[in-house]
Amino acid sequence: VVSTQSTGDGANSPTNETANITMVYFKDHDYINYVWLYHLFGLYWGTEFFLACHEMAIAGAFVQFYWTRDKSKVHFPVVRGIWWVFRYHLGTVAFGSCIIAIIQLARTILAYIQNKTKDSQSELVKYLLMCLQCCMWCFEKVMKFINRNAYIYTAFKGAAFCTSCKKVFALLLSNVVRVGVINCVGAFILFMGKFLVVMVTGMIGYFMMQKDTELYYWAIPVLIASIFAFAVAHTFFSVYEIGIDAIFICFAEDETINDGTPGREYYMSKNLMEWVDNSGEALKNLKRKKKQQKAQAKAAKSGDAGGSNQGMYPDLNDMEMGSK
């Protein structure tokens, strides 16, 4: 906005001199907020699209190795997985990443509303917004989990995104015990791997810094090195995480469509089958043991209650014998 103003004494001045001053004001357009939302959504979508391509390409490499009986025939699986993504599955990746981007944009808008109204809202509204933010966070995590497994299913079945979500969700429900075992054991192993990488990096940095006589504060460089070590370890171990999920989904599908008879042999190795079955049995035995302990504790409580009742009330048979 540009405005011009005149200054001077006008008719009272002997020279009638005036000066024009141009003042410039900046005013946002009404649509600028929508432009910010558009670019923010593009950032979210682009980031999730890149991560989804990464997940599907790695999953494609693992499923090629799993569904090939002669493993020596598998050549350049990563390159072929990347080719499959850009040749056949870009629509699936774009649609799945768009869902996650919409959820993240909704969470951002909700956080913006919370920040703008934090001083004026009541306690009830504050807790409701916090609960809604927590629900959106959980929904995002669930959708990311389903999306990753849907990408894996698409990598070896070639199905559409919605069909893959439906099929893989039913597959996971039918193997819910094994899913728990794989996720717990796999998450623990990956965490220990990252922890060891960070610890080794920190120890090496500490001993290197101790030898430098010109360095007085060694904690900050070691901390920065440990942070970078964790980032690198997380990036590399994410490949193993996707590989674990891909092999498990292939295992569950293999067990569904094959039964080990001639002509329908399993693609899985015997070691994989024995490990998953033994882990499942161990988890079932643990749950059965917990149920037995609860039942024994409940029976013990009921026995104590029965004993106290016997102490409070006399036995009718004893009363009859005494009267006789």
Side-chain angles (χ1 to χ4, degrees), residues 259-277:
D259 55 5
T261 58
R264 297 180 61 185
E265 295 85 359
Y266 290 120
Y267 284 85
M268 71 187 79
S269 63
K270 293 181 180 180
N271 294 330
L272 176 62
M273 184 186 301
E274 292 175 357
W275 184 84
V276 175
D277 288 339

Side-chain angles (χ1 to χ4, degrees), residues 43-60:
L43 175 64
Y44 286 151
W45 195 1
T47 304
E48 293 299 325
F49 180 81
F50 176 78
L51 294 176
C53 290
H54 155 75
E55 292 178 353
M56 182 169 280
I58 296 175

Side-chain angles (χ1 to χ4, degrees), residues 196-211:
L196 288 176
V197 170
V198 174
M199 287 297 296
V200 170
T201 303
M203 292 176 63
I204 294 175
Y206 170 76
F207 288 116
M208 290 178 63
M209 297 299 175
Q210 288 294 319
K211 296 179 180 179

Side-chain angles (χ1 to χ4, degrees), residues 163-234:
T163 304
S164 297
C165 288
K166 179 182 177 181
K167 295 290 185 181
V168 80
F169 188 73
L171 201 63
L172 293 174
L173 282 181
S174 62
N175 296 272
V176 63
V177 177
R178 290 171 174 171
V179 170
V181 172
I182 296 296
N183 286 339
C184 293
V185 176
F188 177 75
I189 294 175
L190 293 175
F191 171 77
M192 289 302 298
K194 297 174 186 178
F195 178 76
L196 288 176
V197 170
V198 174
M199 287 297 296
V200 170
T201 303
M203 292 176 63
I204 294 175
Y206 170 76
F207 288 116
M208 290 178 63
M209 297 299 175
Q210 288 294 319
K211 296 179 180 179
D212 192 351
T213 57
E214 297 180 356
L215 186 64
Y216 296 99
Y217 301 100
W218 54 268
I220 301 300
V222 171
L223 178 62
I224 295 175
S226 300
I227 292 173
F228 277 98
F230 176 79
V232 174
H234 179 74

